[in-house]
Amino acid sequence: MKQLALDIGIATGPSFDAFFAGPNEAALRHLQLWVGGAGQSVPHSPVPTYLWGESGSGKTHLLESVRVALREQGASVGWLHAGLLEPPEFDERWGAVLLDDVHLYTAVQQHAAFNWFVNAQSLQRGVVAAGALPPADLPLREDLRTRLGWGHVFHLQVLSESERRAVLRQAADARGVMLSDDVLDFMLHRFSRDLGSLMELLTQLDGYALQTQRAITIPLIRSMLENE
């Protein structure tokens, strides 16, 4: 059977609590400490943070978790990603600047990212960025590339199959759902390696199983996909 590259968003929304760190515990703890709490008396450190790793390692999830946490504190943020072709001007009201998929930035986006970075630093605002490559290998203008790499740099790892299996099993047990080894093998080998996608798949399977009054089996998964 052809492998399905399913890439489903996380319906419950990104958060630090929903991030399964595994080997990325250091990056998670760093960002949690950086964000702090609404009652903290000191400003967030202006030293930039850069996350890099392959697709599915959790870079965007962590950036979105930072945005959610800051918004809960009443702070707005600037968010620049590769799909934003015409970035806005820097806004002094932003509490932080978040730059995602920097390795894909066009010349226009690189100009905006550099401007945002410089303005954020001058106002002692934080910068958290993410890309698929280490800073030294980023195909970016030199002044932006070096700035992205001078602060905290974390290499994120994709969870191993055994770690993803354990997380899925734990999540299923919490739902009172039985996942056989065959079903877990099918989910892990036929779908995206991204844990967020797998967790959303589990949510959809649970709902479909309840709706059809059937146990979660490989035929049920195929039936759900055929009826989407």
Side-chain angles (χ1 to χ4, degrees), residues 12-228:
T12 55
S15 69
F16 289 130
D17 289 341
F19 184 76
F20 300 95
N24 304 313
E25 183 73 22
L28 173 63
R29 294 303 175 208
H30 167 78
L31 291 174
Q32 287 177 316
L33 288 172
W34 182 82
V35 167
Q40 68 178 27
S41 58
V42 296
H44 305 111
S45 169
V47 178
T49 296
Y50 179 70
L51 313 172
W52 70 276
E54 63 180 288
S55 176
S57 58
K59 302 183 300 294
T60 298
H61 185 118
L62 284 176
L63 258 63
E64 291 180 337
S65 298
V66 169
R67 176 165 62 172
V68 168
L70 291 178
R71 282 181 171 176
E72 289 175 350
Q73 297 176 23
S76 61
V77 301
W79 178 278
L80 178 55
H81 56 84
L84 185 61
L85 300 181
E86 297 183 5
E89 294 296 321
F90 179 85
D91 190 330
E92 292 189 359
R93 294 172 296 180
W94 290 341
V97 164
L98 306 178
L99 310 172
D100 198 13
D101 287 333
V102 298
H103 59 288
L104 299 176
Y105 281 4
T106 64
V108 170
Q109 292 167 331
Q110 291 179 50
H111 176 78
F114 178 76
N115 178 267
W116 286 19
F117 196 111
V118 170
N119 277 284
Q121 292 290 289
S122 67
L123 294 172
Q124 296 290 290
R125 309 289 166 76
V127 177
V128 184
L133 301 170
D137 296 336
L138 288 170
L140 302 174
R141 46 189 280 184
E142 186 67 8
D143 51 6
L144 175 60
R145 185 190 65 75
T146 54
R147 279 171 169 81
L148 290 173
W150 75 259
H152 304 284
V153 177
F154 294 93
H155 182 194
L156 300 187
Q157 307 286 337
V158 175
L159 295 185
S160 67
E161 180 176 322
S162 62
E163 288 169 330
R164 283 176 282 143
R165 181 183 295 270
V167 170
L168 285 171
R169 179 82 74 186
Q170 182 178 5
D173 289 345
R175 291 173 174 270
V177 173
M178 171 61 186
L179 292 183
S180 68
D181 289 337
D182 287 345
V183 167
L184 278 172
D185 288 342
F186 188 85
M187 294 173 66
L188 289 166
H189 296 158
R190 304 286 183 172
F191 296 91
S192 169
R193 291 198 301 164
D194 174 53
L195 186 58
S197 298
L198 290 169
M199 295 296 285
E200 180 59 21
L201 174 61
L202 175 60
T203 298
Q204 292 185 335
L205 285 172
D206 187 21
Y208 189 71
L210 288 172
Q211 177 186 343
T212 57
Q213 295 295 299
R214 296 165 58 190
I216 296 180
T217 60
I218 293 175
L220 178 96
I221 299 175
R222 289 178 171 147
S223 173
M224 185 188 76
L225 295 174
E226 290 170 357
N227 286 290
E228 282 187 339

